[in-house]
Amino acid sequence: MKRSAAVAVVLGGVAVGIANAWWAGGHESIAEAAAARLPDDVPDFFRRGGKHLAHFAVEPDRWKNREAVFLRRSEEGNHFLDSEDLDGKTLPATHRFDAMKMLYTDLKKDPNKVGLLPYAIVENYERLMIAFYDHRKSPTNESIPMKCLVYGGTLAHYTGDAAMPLHTTRDYDGKIQADGTVKQKGIHAKVDGFPEKNKITPEEICRGLEAKKIDNVWEHVNKFLAESHTHIEKCYEFDAAGAFDKATDESRAFILARCRAGAQLTLDLWYTAWLQSAKLPAHW
C-alpha cells in the first residue's frame, strides 16, 4: 500500500471541525470533544482523529455482546467502581490482580461486582503511552497511527464512564428500599441518554478546555472517581424532580459539566501519554 493510501485509511473522513455526534452510546461526544483540544505538539494524525477516536470509544461496550461469552465476562467489571463496596479500603496501586486478590480474600466480594474501572483506565493509558513511544521511534511506520487511535479511543470509553456519577456506586440504577423495592429505577438510562436527547454537542463540551500534564496518573484517576461519586445525590434529586425527563437549565448544565469533566480527563490522559512516551526505555 502506498503511503498516501495508508494515511487515507487512518485519517479518511476526518474533518477539521467537529461533527454533531452527541451522546450516542454514551461516549462519542466526549472523545471527539477531547480530540478537538489537543495541543499542537501531539501528532497530527491523533489530533485530526476525532471521528476515529469517537468510534473506538464505544468499542468496550461492543465487547459485551452476549454471544462473546468469554470476552463479555472479562470485560464487565471494567466499566464501574461501586465505591461503597470497598468498605473503606484503598485499591492497591499496583495492578488489577492484587485488587482482585484483596476483594476476594479480604472482603469476600466478586471483583466483577465491585468493579475495576480505575485499572481499565490506567492500563489503557499505558497502552497508548507505549504506542506513542513506537510512533516516536518509527514515525513512518503506517501501522502505528492505527493502534494509537484504537488505544486512545478505548481509553476514552473508560474515562467517559468515570465522569458518569452512577458508574461509581452500587445505586447505579435506583436505590433499594427496606421492603426490597427499588426507588427511581431507570435513572441510569435517563442520565446516559440526556446529552443526545438534549443536543449537548462536542463543541459545547470542549469549549475552553486545555490539556494538562498529570503528575501521578493512578492518584489522579482515583481522585477523579471520588469527585464523580460526590454527584450521585444530585443525580437523584434531578431525577425525582423530573428534570431528566424534561430538561431544565439546571439539569442540562449539570450533565454538560459531567461531559466536560470526562473530556478533560480524556484530554489530560492522552496528552500525558504523549509526553511520557518520550521518557520510556526501549521495550527490549
Side-chain angles (χ1 to χ4, degrees), residues 214-231:
I214 299 170
D215 292 327
N216 185 311
V217 169
W218 174 256
E219 289 182 2
H220 186 87
V221 166
N222 281 278
K223 286 180 181 178
F224 184 94
L225 285 164
E227 195 279 333
S228 189
H229 188 77
T230 67
H231 298 287

Side-chain angles (χ1 to χ4, degrees), residues 121 159 162 214 220-221 224 261-270:
I121 293 173
T159 50
I214 299 170
H220 186 87
V221 166
F224 184 94
Q264 184 70 66
L265 179 61
T266 306
L267 173 61
D268 293 346
L269 285 170
W270 284 346

Side-chain angles (χ1 to χ4, degrees), residues 180-200:
T181 61
V182 180
K183 185 178 182 180
Q184 293 177 254
K185 185 170 179 59
I187 183 175
H188 190 280
K190 294 178 186 179
V191 176
D192 260 356
F194 189 102
E196 182 174 0
K197 179 180 177 182
N198 294 284
K199 298 180 172 57
I200 293 178

Side-chain angles (χ1 to χ4, degrees), residues 51-186:
K51 286 281 193 181
H52 300 298
L53 290 161
H55 174 81
F56 296 132
V58 188
E59 204 71 0
D61 277 344
R62 298 184 182 104
W63 297 336
K64 294 187 287 185
N65 187 294
R66 68 183 63 187
E67 291 300 313
V69 179
F70 291 84
L71 179 59
R72 179 185 177 91
R73 176 62 178 166
S74 67
E75 180 61 27
E76 62 186 22
N78 286 338
H79 299 254
F80 62 93
L81 176 67
D82 291 352
S83 304
E84 305 93 339
D85 286 339
L86 294 177
D87 296 345
K89 290 187 176 292
T90 301
L91 289 170
T94 50
H95 50 74
R96 69 168 59 220
F97 299 106
D98 281 346
M100 294 168 70
K101 181 180 179 181
M102 182 192 84
L103 292 169
Y104 272 128
T105 304
D106 298 344
L107 301 183
K108 311 301 182 186
K109 295 179 180 180
D110 182 350
N112 266 352
K113 302 300 182 184
V114 177
L116 296 163
L117 176 55
Y119 297 98
I121 293 173
V122 177
E123 288 162 1
N124 283 283
Y125 158 80
E126 291 182 346
R127 288 186 178 104
L128 178 61
M129 177 180 66
I130 290 169
F132 276 151
Y133 168 89
D134 287 346
H135 176 70
R136 289 180 184 275
K137 295 299 182 183
S138 303
T140 61
N141 186 322
E142 296 168 350
S143 300
I144 295 172
M146 299 180 191
K147 69 178 179 180
C148 289
L149 291 167
V150 171
Y151 294 150
T154 303
L155 171 59
H157 180 94
Y158 300 117
T159 50
D161 280 347
M164 209 284 223
L166 299 179
H167 280 254
T168 71
T169 177
R170 60 190 173 202
D171 295 329
Y172 67 95
D173 194 33
K175 294 184 177 181
I176 299 176
Q177 305 300 293
D179 63 358
T181 61
V182 180
K183 185 178 182 180
Q184 293 177 254
K185 185 170 179 59

Side-chain angles (χ1 to χ4, degrees), residues 26-39:
H27 298 277
E28 292 174 340
S29 293
I30 284 177
E32 196 168 355
R37 300 299 299 176
L38 283 164

